[in-house]
Each structure stands twice: as C-alpha cells, then as structure tokens.
C-alpha cells in the first residue's frame, strides 16, 4: 500500500482547537516524554499542569501558551478535580487547544477517565497521548524487569493510598498475596508497614524480595531493597513519589 495515503497516527496529528488532549508526561525525566506528547505541548494554547509532570518539558510550549498549575499548592492542598474539569471545559469552549499534562500515564491513577467523561458530558472532544507509566518505568530504571521469563508471568499494579482493611479500599490483599505475579504498589509509601504486614498475614513468604524506588527518572532517584518482613523499616525515611515492587524480580541482579 502507498504509505503516503495513510492517515498519520491519531496521537501525532495536529491538535484541534476546542478540544482537550490528555498527555502523559512519563515519570520525570523529560527524555521519557513521548514524541507525540512533545508535539502536543508545542501546539497547545493552554496547558493544565500536574505536580508530577516533567516541568522542564514546558520549555517546549509557545511563549504565549497559558500554563495553569493545578498540582499541589504551596500549603499542600490540591485544586479540586471538579475545578480542573471545569477549567478543561471552559478553555476548550473558548476554542483553545487544551493539553492536560500529567506524570506517567493519564489513565493509570491519573483521573484521565474522569476528565474524559467530564469533557464528553460537555460535548468536548478528547483524545489521549499515552505516557510512560511509573509503574513500569520506575522498576525498569532501577534495573528490575516487572516480568522475567523464568520467574514470573505477569504483574499487578495497585494503589496503596488507603491501608488494607480500610472501608475505602476495594482491594483483596489476601488474593493479591496469592497472584504469583509481581506486585507493583503506587502511592504506597505511607502505608508500607500495613501493606507488608497484610501480605505476610496472607501467607506471602517473609523473605519475598521487595524494592522501593523513589523519584525515578529524577537526579535524586534512590532505591531500597530488602525482604518483605524488613522493608518497611529499611525504607522508613523514603518520601513519595515512590513505587514498591514485591516479588522475585525485586531480588534480581541482572548484571
Ligand atoms: N499516572 C502516574 C501515577 C500517578 S499516582 C503514572 O502512570 O505513573 C502517583 C504515584 O505514582 C506516586 O505516589 C508514585 O507511587 C508513582 N510515581 C509517579 N512518579 C514517580 C517517580 N518519578 N518515581 C517513583 N514513583 C513515581
């Protein structure tokens, strides 16, 4: 087939005025933003930026591009999600090319689905440019493959933002302890003691390897490794953002 007659991939096409593009920024290093994501930033009239998105990449925006900070505010508060949704709709209605720029991938604990729904309800067209999610990239940057042929045939990504047993938790931690997949926990720094205790109680071996990888893709990146029954103590001074990898792959030394 004559390739010139093929439409370009949707993610690389020009941004359309009056629409919203959800752009995944990757885990932090500007080099891990996709080419399509970079092109979207270059074209944007307005960008709503999250605190985990790679800030350096904003240098690619046009000088007249309006940048709206909707990440953590100085007092630790966040712009409420409803307000973010309103801003996306308002700017798109004004005919602008709107980019929602987040860390990692917008559809992995990034509220991208909610933002899409809010725009759709307002009659605004949305599309998504996938990002490199920290759930895979943070382990990778630490030299940990989330799957490894001889060891594990899958990985499971969960949120640890509420502790096991909490009424807001939808997870079955004892089932997670038995999946025989690599367990990747995001937002799990605060409740690492509770999570590891729960997995132990569900029968996961005390010596199961665990790695906690913080600030992946940033110059301050660090990792702490240890067995399941000691990792909470070993990693007690680790601050978010961090990804926790639980399973045999966390004990691998590839080289
Ligand atoms: N959409 C993001 C995840 C947002 S939830 C993604 O796909 O990566 C926020 C959590 O992501 C953090 O609490 C942490 O667990 C993880 N995270 C994001 N950036 C990270 C980084 N640079 N290093 C380690 N963990 C990171």
């Amino acid at each position: 087939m004559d390739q010139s007659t093929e439409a370009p991939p949707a993610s690389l096409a020009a941004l359309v005025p009056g629409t919203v593009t959800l752009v995944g920024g990757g885990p932090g290093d500007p080099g891990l933003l996709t080419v399509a994501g970079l092109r979207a930033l270059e074209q944007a009239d307005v960008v709503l930026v999250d605190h985990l998105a790679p800030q350096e990449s904003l240098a690619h925006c046009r000088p007249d591009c309006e940048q709206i900070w909707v990440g953590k505010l100085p007092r630790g508060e966040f712009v409420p999600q409803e307000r973010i949704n309103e801003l996306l709709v308002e700017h798109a209605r004004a005919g602008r090319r709107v980019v929602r720029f987040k860390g990692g991938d917008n559809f992995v604990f990034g509220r991208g689905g909610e933002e899409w729904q809010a725009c759709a309800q307002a009659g605004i067209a949305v599309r998504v440019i996938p990002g490199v999610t920290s759930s895979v990239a943070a382990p990778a940057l630490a030299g940990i493959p989330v799957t490894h042929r001889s060891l594990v045939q899958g990985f499971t990504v969960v949120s640890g933002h509420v502790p096991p047993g909490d009424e807001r938790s939808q997870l079955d931690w004892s089932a997670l302890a038995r999946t025989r997949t690599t367990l990747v926990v995001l937002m799990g720094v605060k409740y690492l003691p509770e999570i590891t205790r729960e997995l132990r109680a569900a029968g996961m071996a005390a010596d199961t390897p665990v790695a906690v990888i913080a600030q992946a893709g940033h110059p301050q990146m660090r990792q702490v490794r240890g067995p399941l029954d000691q990792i909470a103590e070993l990693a007690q001074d680790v601050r978010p953002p961090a990804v926790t990898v639980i399973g045999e792959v966390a004990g691998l030394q590839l080289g």
Side-chain angles (χ1 to χ4, degrees):
M1 191 203 278
D2 178 3
Q3 293 211 330
S4 64
T5 62
E6 282 181 22
S11 61
L12 286 171
L15 258 57
V16 178
T19 69
V20 170
T21 306
L22 308 175
V23 176
D29 184 318
L32 292 175
L33 170 66
T34 66
V35 174
L38 187 62
R39 297 283 172 269
L41 285 180
E42 286 170 351
Q43 297 172 55
D45 298 309
V46 51
V47 182
L48 280 81
V49 191
D50 202 69
H51 72 291
L52 286 177
Q55 310 299 315
E56 292 151 74
S57 299
L58 296 171
H60 295 277
C61 295
R62 295 196 323 264
D64 61 333
C65 171
E66 185 181 353
Q67 296 176 11
I68 306 176
W69 182 253
V70 292
K72 227 177 221 171
L73 300 173
R75 279 204 253 123
E77 295 156 18
F78 288 85
V79 176
Q81 187 61 46
E82 295 68 31
R83 181 64 195 135
I84 296 173
N85 295 350
E86 279 169 17
L87 285 167
L88 291 171
V89 169
E90 280 170 21
H91 285 284
R93 281 206 172 125
R96 305 205 171 99
R97 288 167 287 198
V98 184
V99 163
R100 175 70 173 112
F101 191 44
K102 294 216 69 156
D105 183 280
N106 301 52
F107 281 178
V108 180
F109 304 126
R111 301 200 167 192
E114 289 169 52
E115 292 173 356
W116 187 306
Q117 285 173 325
C119 290
Q121 273 164 22
I124 305 292
V126 184
R127 66 195 178 122
V128 61
I129 296 179
V132 175
T133 176
S134 66
S135 53
V136 176
L141 292 168
I144 299 171
V146 288
T147 68
H148 193 65
R149 195 149 63 111
S150 57
L151 286 182
V152 62
Q153 297 176 334
F155 60 101
T156 307
V157 180
V158 299
S159 166
H161 79 291
V162 291
D166 187 285
E167 58 179 22
R168 292 162 296 167
S169 174
Q170 299 162 0
L171 298 171
D172 180 343
W173 285 94
S174 59
L176 289 170
R178 293 191 307 273
T179 60
R180 291 167 168 259
T181 66
T182 303
L183 204 53
V184 181
V185 185
L186 270 59
M187 297 178 273
V189 171
K190 185 172 176 191
Y191 295 118
L192 189 58
E194 288 83 353
I195 289 167
T196 51
R197 214 179 299 132
E198 186 78 7
L199 290 170
R200 284 280 298 119
M204 201 180 252
D207 62 354
T208 304
V210 183
V212 180
I213 306 127
Q215 305 269 17
H218 295 267
Q220 318 87 292
M221 171 172 168
R222 63 178 285 225
Q223 60 169 310
V224 180
R225 297 200 194 194
L228 182 64
D229 62 347
Q230 290 173 34
I231 192 68
E233 203 181 324
L234 293 170
Q236 62 183 340
D237 64 339
V238 171
R239 294 289 154 261
V243 165
T244 301
V245 184
I246 304 169
E248 294 304 318
V249 288
L252 271 183
Q253 292 295 344
L254 292 175

